[in-house]
């Protein structure tokens, strides 16, 4: 018997017209230049040649219509990583994230097939913890959405221990997506040319985040924490054997973890935004073999999704939200 699944898109950034210009010099700002070129600016980082204005990227009604065209049942909408604004003053970042989360929650209330992820002011750990609690308990958002490091400080740093514990208490996943390295670190001769900060920088930073969460004891100390990593987990799934070998063979690795490697690896899930079918085979055979849900990476340029997404706690949670809404409609 064939089995059908809801298509759940867990990698879908949204631009919010209501937060433009609310973070001081950083903006953000989107518009159309006199020559017709559309742009989106966050600080000194500018994206061009993508349709931002009057498009599914920034118009929720058009987004849902586009989901219908692509066969997407539900979508996790998330802040754009170039607006994490970890390098901005904490007071401005706190206000900006509150405004962002309020806007996302309002959009989701009007469009029930959209489910929101919360941005957090990670440069201020106490404020990040408070905003996660507010976003989940008051706004109804379903996960957090953060970078792979915070201004060069890894996620293994103990300053965020309370934040990981709050995720466990609330029962919500943590979603990790890097910001481009050149957003806050300035010109870079290695990652600057040819969009290397996006093409390879993301994959490197995602793999490093996974390593820090594992070796730094975050997953070990927080068994109820589920972490979903974008872009197939970067290079991490392909180098899982090296991570295991380091624990077994290197002097610092022996006894580093209290719980088994496999048990902690099971706290991770990855999307399949890797752009090639053959590149999905390694994560599929390892992580994704346990269970599947149809999923996708929505491309703002409109290509039809073909990906599969692991039925992680994140996807399960979104599917449960969709099922609950269907039950309410049939009453």
């Amino acid at each position: 018997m064939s089995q059908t699944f809801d298509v759940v898109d867990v990698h879908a950034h949204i631009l919010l017209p209501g937060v433009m210009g609310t973070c001081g010099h950083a903006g953000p700002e989107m518009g159309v230049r006199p020559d017709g070129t559309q742009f989106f600016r966050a600080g000194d980082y500018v994206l061009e040649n993508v349709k931002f204005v009057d498009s599914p990227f920034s118009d929720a009604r058009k987004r849902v219509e586009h989901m219908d065209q692509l066969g997407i049942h539900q979508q996790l909408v998330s802040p754009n990583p170039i607006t994490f604004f970890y390098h901005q003053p904490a007071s401005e970042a706190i206000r900006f994230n509150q405004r962002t989360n309020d806007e996302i929650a309002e959009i989701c209330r009007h469009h029930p097939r959209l489910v929101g992820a919360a941005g957090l002011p990670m440069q201020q750990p106490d404020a990040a913890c408070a905003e996660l609690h507010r976003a989940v308990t008051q706004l109804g958002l379903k996960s957090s959405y953060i970078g792979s490091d915070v201004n060069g400080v890894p996620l293994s740093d103990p300053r965020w221990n309370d934040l990981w514990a709050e995720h466990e208490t609330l029962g919500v996943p943590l979603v990790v997506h890097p910001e481009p390295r050149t957003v806050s670190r300035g010109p870079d001769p290695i990652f600057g040319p040819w969009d290397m900060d996006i093409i390879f920088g993301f994959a490197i930073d995602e793999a490093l985040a996974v390593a820090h969460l594992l070796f730094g004891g975050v997953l070990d100390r927080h068994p109820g924490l589920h972490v979903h990593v974008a872009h197939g987990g970067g290079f991490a799934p392909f180098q899982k054997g090296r991570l295991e070998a380091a624990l077994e063979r290197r002097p610092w690795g022996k006894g580093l973890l209290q719980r088994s490697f496999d048990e902690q690896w099971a706290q991770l899930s990855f999307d399949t935004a890797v752009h090639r079918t053959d590149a999905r085979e390694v994560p599929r055979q390892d992580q994704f073999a346990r269970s599947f849900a149809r999923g996708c990476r929505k491309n703002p340029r409109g290509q039809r999704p073909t990906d599969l997404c692991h039925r992680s706690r994140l996807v399960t949670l979104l599917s449960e939200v969709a099922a609950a809404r269907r039950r309410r409609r049939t009453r």
Side-chain angles (χ1 to χ4, degrees), residues 156 205-217 236 243 256 265 268:
S156 56
D205 290 339
E206 286 150 354
L208 288 171
V210 168
H212 272 272
L213 292 169
L214 281 165
F215 293 162
L243 297 173
L256 182 66
W265 191 262
L268 301 167

Side-chain angles (χ1 to χ4, degrees), residues 276-304:
R276 282 183 63 100
T277 302
D278 53 358
R280 291 194 289 266
E281 290 306 315
V282 170
R284 180 183 302 173
Q285 291 170 8
D286 169 33
Q287 176 92 2
F288 301 167
R290 291 190 293 271
S291 183
F292 280 100
R294 290 300 300 270
C296 70
R297 163 73 164 93
K298 185 187 76 62
N299 190 309
R301 294 179 178 85
Q303 287 100 326
R304 185 169 182 81

